[in-house]
Amino acid sequence: MEKVFVTPPYKPPLPFPGRHKKELADKYRAIFAKNIKQVEARIPLVDALTHIPNSQKFLKDLIMEKIQEV
């Protein structure tokens, strides 16, 4: 018997991939904001956040949002 190659079904690319990237970033920003409220440390918060490499961008965004609110 010969093996027959069956092609996988066609999956079209996303029409607007940038829109989904923004939704994903918003989701992670919300998760980060929720988790940062639960942080309890005996060291200054800024020092603790500098040790977390991925939080720098979100921290900057949060600070800028707070500044714009004032």
Side-chain angles (χ1 to χ4, degrees), residues 6-36:
V6 178
T7 59
Y10 176 72
K11 283 178 88 175
L14 293 174
F16 302 102
R19 178 180 66 195
H20 297 289
K21 288 179 184 177
K22 184 175 185 262
E23 290 174 1
L24 188 62
D26 291 342
K27 173 185 166 187
Y28 284 122
R29 183 176 287 118
I31 291 171
F32 178 77
K34 183 179 106 178
N35 289 337
I36 201 69

Side-chain angles (χ1 to χ4, degrees), residues 28-60:
Y28 284 122
R29 183 176 287 118
I31 291 171
F32 178 77
K34 183 179 106 178
N35 289 337
I36 201 69
K37 289 179 184 178
Q38 299 172 356
V39 171
E40 182 179 334
R42 303 271 183 215
I43 61 173
L45 181 61
V46 175
D47 292 339
L49 291 174
T50 57
H51 295 294
I52 305 171
N54 294 334
S55 69
Q56 293 173 357
K57 179 181 177 234
F58 292 116
L59 179 63
K60 180 181 174 186

